[in-house]
Amino acid sequence: MLIELKNIDKYYPIGRERLQVLHGVNLQIEQGEFVGIMGPSGSGKSTLVNILGFLDSKYDGEYLFAGKSVSGLNDRELSHMRNRTVGFVFQDFHLVETATVFENVQMPLLYAGITAKKTVSAVEQALERVGIGEKSKQKPSQLSGGQKQRVAIARALINQPRFIIADEPTGAMDTKTSAGIMEILFNLNKEEKVTVVMVTHDFSLLKYCSHQIKVVDGVVQKGTLQA
Amino acid sequence: MKFQMLLHTALQSLWNNKRRTLLTMLGIVIGIASVIAIISIGKGFQRETVSNLTSSESDKMSVVAYFIPDNMNMQSSRMEPFSPRNIADIKRIEGVDGVSTEQSSQSYYTVTVQAGNDTFSTAADLLDGTESPTELVAGNHIDRADNAGKKKVVIIRQDIAEKMYGSAENAIGKGIDINGVKFYIKGVAPPLKPQIISFSLGFEKEIMLPKSAYQFYFEKNKKEAVTELTVFVKTDYSVKAVSDDLIEYLDKNGNNRQIGTYGVLDMSQMMQAIGNVINSLTYFISAIAGISLLIAGVGVMNMMYISVSERTKEIGIRRAMGATKESIQMQFLLEGILVTFSGGIIGYLFGILVATLISKLLPFGIYIDIPTILMTVVVSLLIGVVFSVMPAKAAAKKDVIDILR
């Protein structure tokens, strides 16, 4: 078992009140799965994904990663977990605009303590793999949406993480570009057994998913999703 | 992340905002430059002053012992504050290298002249007849024979001669009362030009008379008494200790201890005191200039806060990629320090340049020392740390989820 959530409750403070966004979430994800998380806006999908990706540690309940509890880790330990075990692909890419494509992909390796020289071949390989090897000197602003997302995927893969979180990775793309991105993610999952956790609104993407999770009003509903 | 990578990242983000970085740095440059210029000019002035004051002395440190009689009107000829026995004893005080009994050379002899109904005091030149002759309107110079014979002859100025006897020629051979003794006018010199400073040596005097006659008639009782002692101190002895021993000895055994007070003047202490005054003045002015550094520091802080808020998204991305809070804080801290440190170095060079240019207009050079350089480095680093630490902390504290939402 790669990921196991037990009775996760999450509250957001709103003024003096607090709004509960997750209600006793129980979740299991196996190594090698392609997980699709669906649900209406405001249902708590993003909150759930933030917890899974070690970005949010303020919740009640227990999070077991590869059998070990990660609840209550300090900032340094959580940063280490983010660096080594998870790769992020966001809807709006989240690339550093002032840095080149190469530097964006290189970043996780530098935070892992690897010297710049030793990162060069790994970064070039990752860029080749997502099909934008020739763009490494360019700034993100010179790329199209699909190309930016390829950079983000290369960056997510560079540290060989245990799983990738893709938060609506094709949300702002036309169907053709979207298909290209999904192809990359699907192949990674199929060929290299990378676990993918994808949040999406798009029912058409469910055909890629081996495990489907539906979130409604902060509650996880099991079963196969239908359009 | 390795430190050199943090440095690289910090440099890169400063480079991405070249104009803002340069403007912020300019504040630091001006602040440091003005402080450095003031300090190096001030130190140059201090050294110049002290070396001027000590240039007449030998390299040895010295203490001057003097005597002040209780009765100020007492004739100096009746005193002998430092007897030969005293001097011999002082030479044996521990740490004393030698004693100079050089007389305080009296540059100035006053006589009272009665010219007709007028009585006035004036400075007199004592001649021994070997001087090169000056211009005369009538009569003759004082020669060696006059000096040898202690002759009561005098050279006066034309204006006095005309007042007393109508003309310069008429005055020759006539009498004039000096200190109650009748002298004969041998020559008349042109009137004195108006002088601004009449004290200085080498200026012309109203009256000239033979040295021997002056000594014979007015100083006949005067012995050549030592009135001031310069005591040299061995280099490995404390001047203070020796001068304490010296005053203790003189208070107990000084020849004239009953009729006056002995005192010592520690020249080195005086020099030090003058140096200190100039030093504190320099630092005071520098502190005022330092206020501009404070303002520049606030500018750095402002820039850092803007930079942090502009790059909130970047912070979030870096945190998601595994950057720790410390790493983010260090990155922003380094940016601030880089700005102030390079500003400090440029400011130092600029300040030296300005001081050098100013010193071209001044009678002394500037002085550059290692502590000033170290101070620049420390101060600029300190400003960087002090004014960047809060923005850097603010950057590190940002909530990743809020940023990436």
Side-chain angles (χ1 to χ4, degrees):
Chain A
M1 193 72 63
L2 185 68
I3 289 170
E4 190 168 11
L5 296 186
K6 287 180 180 169
N7 274 318
I8 298 288
D9 288 332
K10 172 70 187 176
Y11 303 90
Y12 281 128
I14 297 174
R16 282 188 186 173
E17 307 290 307
R18 46 182 210 161
L19 177 73
Q20 189 166 9
V21 285
L22 291 180
H23 296 266
V25 170
N26 288 296
L27 198 64
Q28 286 158 2
I29 295 170
E30 300 280 357
Q31 180 82 46
E33 282 186 322
F34 198 118
V35 184
I37 299 178
M38 294 211 57
S41 299
S43 60
K45 303 187 299 289
S46 290
T47 307
L48 179 60
V49 162
N50 284 339
I51 291 171
L52 287 176
F54 316 109
L55 291 170
D56 191 349
S57 57
K58 296 180 192 109
Y59 52 84
D60 300 330
E62 199 171 22
Y63 178 1
L64 296 174
F65 184 82
K68 282 181 197 158
S69 175
V70 294
S71 314
L73 292 184
N74 63 26
D75 177 69
R76 184 185 289 271
E77 290 159 334
L78 282 173
S79 299
H80 188 262
M81 290 294 280
R82 283 199 293 274
N83 186 247
R84 302 297 169 87
T85 56
V86 59
F88 292 94
V89 178
F90 300 96
Q91 179 181 356
D92 40 6
F93 325 121
H94 284 332
L95 300 174
V96 177
E97 297 292 328
T98 53
T100 63
V101 166
F102 184 91
E103 286 162 343
N104 268 288
V105 177
Q106 183 190 34
M107 200 178 290
L109 289 175
L110 297 181
Y111 283 113
I114 298 164
T115 53
K117 271 185 194 166
K118 291 182 185 162
T119 63
V120 176
S121 67
V123 173
E124 279 168 356
Q125 268 176 30
L127 287 172
E128 285 301 333
R129 193 149 143 209
V130 295
I132 47 165
E134 76 284 3
K135 304 279 185 193
S136 74
K137 292 279 181 291
Q138 297 189 8
K139 292 277 170 77
S141 55
Q142 296 164 300
L143 303 181
S144 70
Q147 287 169 332
K148 283 184 192 175
Q149 201 60 296
R150 283 161 195 261
V151 176
I153 293 171
R155 183 180 63 182
L157 288 171
I158 193 80
N159 261 357
Q160 293 163 321
R162 303 288 293 275
F163 68 115
I164 287 176
I165 287 178
D167 193 350
E168 305 202 32
T170 59
M173 291 171 195
D174 57 62
T175 39
K176 201 179 156 210
T177 319
S178 169
I181 295 297
M182 285 313 296
E183 206 60 44
I184 295 173
L185 287 175
F186 189 67
N187 287 339
L188 279 170
N189 177 253
K190 274 274 131 9
E191 291 161 16
E192 304 186 29
K193 307 292 174 215
V194 178
T195 311
V196 178
V197 178
M198 182 177 72
V199 175
T200 183
H201 269 114
D202 190 347
F203 282 95
S204 70
L205 300 182
L206 287 178
K207 59 175 187 265
Y208 296 104
C209 302
S210 61
H211 178 177
Q212 298 168 4
I213 295 166
K214 191 181 181 191
V215 184
V216 177
D217 294 334
V219 180
V220 168
Q221 301 177 341
K222 287 194 179 149
T224 310
L225 298 157
Q226 295 297 324
Chain B
M1 196 188 243
K2 294 262 190 303
F3 180 78
Q4 67 185 75
M5 287 316 297
L6 281 176
L7 197 67
H8 179 254
T9 312
L11 275 171
Q12 199 169 36
S13 75
L14 289 175
W15 185 252
N16 287 333
N17 264 306
K18 284 185 279 292
R19 186 162 43 183
R20 191 202 293 159
T21 306
L22 281 176
L23 284 174
T24 313
M25 207 186 278
L26 189 65
I28 300 287
V29 169
I30 292 171
I32 293 274
S34 48
V35 172
I36 290 301
I38 291 165
I39 287 182
S40 47
I41 290 173
K43 292 221 165 175
F45 179 56
Q46 179 197 358
R47 285 172 69 85
E48 176 73 8
T49 312
V50 171
S51 78
N52 268 354
L53 289 172
T54 51
S55 61
S56 60
E57 310 288 319
S58 61
D59 287 342
K60 279 184 229 162
M61 289 182 293
S62 63
V63 180
V64 174
Y66 57 88
F67 176 74
I68 300 170
D70 291 336
N71 178 2
M72 284 306 220
N73 296 326
M74 196 172 71
Q75 284 183 358
S76 61
S77 58
R78 302 241 308 268
M79 303 187 296
E80 194 187 9
F82 301 102
S83 69
R85 197 178 66 83
N86 285 157
I87 293 168
D89 284 346
I90 288 168
K91 279 180 182 162
R92 282 199 290 273
I93 291 177
E94 206 186 344
V96 171
D97 201 21
V99 174
S100 160
T101 59
E102 201 177 300
Q103 287 297 326
S104 56
S105 59
Q106 203 172 343
S107 58
Y108 199 74
Y109 300 88
T110 358
V111 289
T112 308
V113 178
Q114 196 175 355
N117 300 325
D118 263 2
T119 306
F120 61 94
S121 276
T122 187
D125 240 355
L126 304 186
L127 309 177
D128 57 14
T130 58
E131 294 82 6
S132 53
T134 51
E135 190 194 345
L136 289 182
V137 290
N140 293 307
H141 279 289
I142 290 169
D143 52 30
R144 281 172 209 241
D146 295 329
N147 192 45
K150 295 171 191 151
K151 283 187 183 158
K152 295 187 277 180
V153 290
V154 63
I155 294 175
I156 61 169
R157 295 282 164 186
Q158 196 176 1
D159 47 338
I160 304 172
E162 280 169 359
K163 203 158 93 188
M164 288 175 73
Y165 299 107
S167 75
E169 284 77 16
N170 282 347
I172 303 297
K174 302 274 168 55
I176 184 167
D177 227 24
I178 295 172
N179 282 5
V181 177
K182 183 145 289 212
F183 276 61
Y184 295 94
I185 299 166
K186 192 179 182 196
V188 176
L192 280 180
K193 292 177 194 90
Q195 288 171 359
I196 299 162
I197 307 159
S198 57
F199 287 101
S200 305
L201 269 165
F203 279 93
E204 295 177 312
K205 307 288 192 311
E206 282 284 352
I207 271 193
M208 288 163 266
L209 52 153
K211 192 175 187 178
S212 58
Y214 179 89
Q215 284 166 346
F216 183 75
Y217 291 103
F218 311 134
E219 280 188 341
K220 53 183 156 197
N221 296 326
K222 188 174 176 182
K223 278 185 287 176
E224 288 283 316
V226 179
T227 54
E228 204 178 276
L229 275 188
T230 306
V231 178
F232 294 105
V233 180
K234 285 180 187 157
T235 39
D236 42 350
Y237 280 84
S238 140
V239 178
K240 178 88 176 70
V242 171
S243 70
D244 285 350
D245 288 349
L246 182 62
I247 193 73
E248 195 188 333
Y249 169 80
L250 287 172
D251 282 343
K252 272 188 203 147
N253 307 302
N255 201 30
N256 288 148
R257 62 188 180 277
Q258 275 90 7
I259 55 165
T261 324
Y262 288 95
V264 288
L265 203 63
D266 180 348
M267 292 304 277
S268 70
Q269 268 182 5
M270 220 166 79
M271 291 307 111
Q272 221 166 32
I274 291 172
N276 283 346
V277 168
I278 298 172
N279 231 359
S280 359
L281 207 65
T282 304
Y283 284 125
F284 175 68
I285 300 172
S286 315
I288 295 172
I291 293 173
S292 65
L293 272 182
L294 203 70
I295 296 164
V298 175
V300 171
M301 199 166 181
N302 194 21
M303 179 196 100
M304 291 311 297
Y305 269 122
I306 293 172
S307 179
V308 167
S309 76
E310 261 181 6
R311 284 155 62 201
T312 301
K313 194 184 146 197
E314 182 191 325
I315 295 168
I317 295 167
R318 288 181 182 278
R319 294 278 281 134
M321 297 303 122
T324 57
K325 285 181 178 178
E326 293 85 50
S327 165
I328 295 291
Q329 188 175 335
M330 197 60 188
Q331 185 192 333
F332 281 91
L333 202 57
L334 266 177
E335 277 181 35
I337 290 171
L338 279 173
V339 169
T340 60
F341 185 65
S342 41
I345 299 296
I346 297 169
Y348 180 82
L349 298 175
F350 191 60
I352 294 295
L353 181 75
V354 167
T356 312
L357 289 179
I358 291 174
S359 74
K360 300 261 182 250
L361 308 172
L362 297 173
F364 53 88
I366 58 166
Y367 179 66
I368 304 160
D369 56 358
I370 302 289
T372 319
I373 299 174
L374 289 180
M375 189 200 75
T376 312
V377 172
V378 170
V379 165
S380 53
L381 285 179
L382 208 66
I383 292 174
V385 172
V386 166
F387 290 99
S388 309
V389 83
M390 273 165 55
K393 275 210 157 96
K397 252 194 242 163
K398 281 187 185 290
D399 195 348
V400 196
I401 315 154
D402 285 344
I403 300 171
L404 293 179
R405 187 175 286 170

